[in-house]
Amino acid sequence: MQTRVAVMGIIVENTDSVEQLNHLLHEYGHYIIGRMGNPYRARSINIVSIAIDAPQDVISALSGKIGSLDGISVKTAYSNVLADE
């Protein structure tokens, strides 16, 4: 199966959903290359960046699950680099 590298930008506006977000990221942890979180206290939000190397359907599934959480939005940018798993 082919995998590709992607970057997810996540904005957390509702901190009540953070536990669910962390659960999802833990569940998909074996695909995650790196994770960086930055609190932006002036706006009362958190910004999370995820680098991931996974099959297209796995990336889409994770993005969809994150986007369905209350007060959390996500955008994903995909590379054109494909590799066999």
Side-chain angles (χ1 to χ4, degrees):
M1 180 173 287
Q2 286 192 321
T3 66
R4 66 191 312 181
V5 175
V7 177
M8 292 183 180
I10 303 166
I11 304 292
V12 179
E13 297 175 358
N14 179 1
T15 56
D16 292 339
S17 296
V18 169
E19 186 175 340
Q20 294 168 299
L21 174 62
N22 284 331
H23 177 75
L24 283 172
L25 295 178
H26 178 75
E27 183 180 330
Y28 286 82
H30 56 283
Y31 296 111
I32 294 175
I33 301 166
R35 170 183 174 174
M36 179 179 62
N38 297 328
Y40 187 18
R41 290 181 182 89
R43 300 282 180 127
S44 299
I45 63 171
N46 293 289
I47 303 161
V48 181
S49 301
I50 304 293
I52 188 168
D53 186 358
Q56 174 73 44
D57 60 335
V58 171
I59 297 170
S60 296
L62 176 57
S63 182
K65 289 176 182 179
I66 291 172
S68 72
L69 297 175
D70 182 49
I72 296 182
S73 56
V74 61
K75 295 292 180 185
T76 305
Y78 296 92
S79 76
N80 292 320
V81 178
L82 298 173
D84 290 322
E85 201 171 25

